[in-house]
Amino acid sequence: MSEQPSTARRVVIVTGGSRGIGRESAERLAADGHTVVVNYAGNRTEAEAAVAAITEAGGTAMAFRADVADEVAVSALFDAAEEAFGGVDVLVHAAGVMSVTPLVDTELDALDRMHRTNIRGTFVVDQQAARRLRSGGAIINFSSSVLGLSFPGYTAYAASKGAVEAMTLILARELRGRDITVNAVAPGPTATALFLDGKDEETVSKLAAQPPLERLGRPEDIAEVVSFLAGPARWVNGQVLRANGGII
C-alpha cells in the first residue's frame, strides 16, 4: 500500500457520479479539496459535464466508464485512479437502480436488474475497495430509508438495499486493523430525477409533508453526510446513517 495521505486531501472514487446524489457528492468532495474520479455506466456527456464543473471550480477530477457489476471493469476503474493519482482513499458507491412496483406485479427481469446493480454491484465495488484502499480510508455505500418506511411498491428495491446494509455492517468488521471505515447513507425521499420520475404532484407533496422538516431532501443534504463520512468522521464505523429529515 502507498503511504497514507492527509485526510485533508484524498483520492475519491464516486460510482454513479454523473447524476443526482452521486454528482452532488462528487462536486461537494471536490470542493472539500479531494481529487475525484467520476464513474459512470453509460452517459459520457453527463460524466464529462460533472468533471468540467469540478475543474472549472478549481478542483481535480477525471471520468471513467465502468459497469459496477463487472469485476474486470471495476478493477480497471481502480487501476485508472491509481495510475492517475497514486492511490485511492475513499469509495462513495452511489450507483444504483430502482423499480417501483408491487411484488405481485414485479417482472423478474426488473428484480434481476436491481439485484445485479444494487447487490452484485455493491459486492464487486466494495471488494475492490477492501483490497486496494489505503490505510485511513473510507467506504461509503448507499442504502435507502424505504427499508424502515415499508412503502408499498418498494419490495424488490428495499430487499436489494437490505443486502447493502448487511454487507456494510459485516465489511466494517472484516476490515479490523486496516483503519478503514465502512458506513452506509440511507436517504429518505430526495428530489432527484430518479425519485421524482413517475410520481404525480399529489404524491410528491404527501411525501414532502412527512418529515418534521416538511420538505423533500435535496441532493446537497445527502452530499453533506457523504462529506462528513469521507473526511473527519474517523470514529463513525459500521453504521447506517438515515439522512431523511426525521421521517423515521
Side-chain angles (χ1 to χ4, degrees):
M1 292 183 186
S2 305
E3 182 181 352
Q4 177 184 345
S6 167
T7 56
R9 185 172 185 86
R10 295 172 146 190
V11 177
V12 183
I13 291 175
V14 181
T15 70
S18 64
R19 293 184 288 180
I21 290 171
R23 175 166 176 172
E24 193 71 34
S25 297
E27 293 188 14
R28 170 61 188 265
L29 291 167
D32 290 343
H34 305 308
T35 297
V36 178
V37 179
V38 176
N39 160 252
Y40 67 102
N43 197 321
R44 179 177 177 179
T45 299
E46 292 203 28
E48 290 180 346
V51 170
I54 289 169
T55 55
E56 287 169 10
T60 303
M62 63 176 279
F64 192 92
R65 181 177 182 177
D67 174 356
V68 295
D70 181 337
E71 66 274 24
V72 175
V74 171
S75 180
L77 166 64
F78 277 78
D79 287 343
E82 290 173 349
E83 290 168 8
F85 304 119
V88 181
D89 305 290
V90 178
L91 166 71
V92 179
H93 181 44
V97 296
M98 179 173 67
S99 176
V100 181
T101 313
L103 183 149
V104 69
D105 298 320
T106 299
E107 297 289 341
L108 292 183
D109 284 348
L111 175 66
D112 290 344
R113 180 167 178 256
M114 281 187 281
H115 185 285
R116 186 177 190 280
T117 299
N118 298 350
I119 301 179
R120 179 188 168 101
T122 299
F123 191 97
V124 168
V125 173
D126 280 10
Q127 186 176 66
Q128 283 297 317
R131 291 171 176 170
R132 300 169 73 160
L133 256 58
R134 295 186 280 205
S135 178
I139 295 172
I140 303 164
N141 291 322
F142 268 79
S143 180
S144 171
S145 284
V146 299
L147 267 71
L149 294 170
S150 301
F151 286 148
Y154 286 83
T155 307
Y157 179 70
S160 74
K161 292 302 184 178
V164 171
E165 292 195 8
M167 284 186 271
T168 298
L169 302 183
I170 295 170
L171 182 58
R173 288 149 181 82
E174 290 180 344
L175 294 182
R176 174 182 290 273
R178 290 277 304 280
D179 191 25
I180 294 173
T181 61
V182 188
N183 296 289
V185 181
T190 304
T192 64
L194 179 67
F195 172 77
L196 296 172
D197 183 42
K199 294 182 176 67
D200 58 32
E201 186 174 341
E202 181 182 0
T203 299
V204 172
S205 296
K206 286 181 179 178
L207 290 169
Q210 289 190 18
L213 298 177
E214 296 187 330
R215 66 171 175 85
L216 292 178
R218 295 184 288 261
E220 55 265 34
D221 295 323
I222 312 306
E224 185 173 39
V225 178
V226 171
S227 172
F228 172 65
L229 293 174
R234 299 309 303 161
W235 198 236
V236 180
N237 189 31
Q239 304 298 317
V240 178
L241 276 67
R242 304 207 179 281
N244 56 34
I247 195 170
I248 55 172

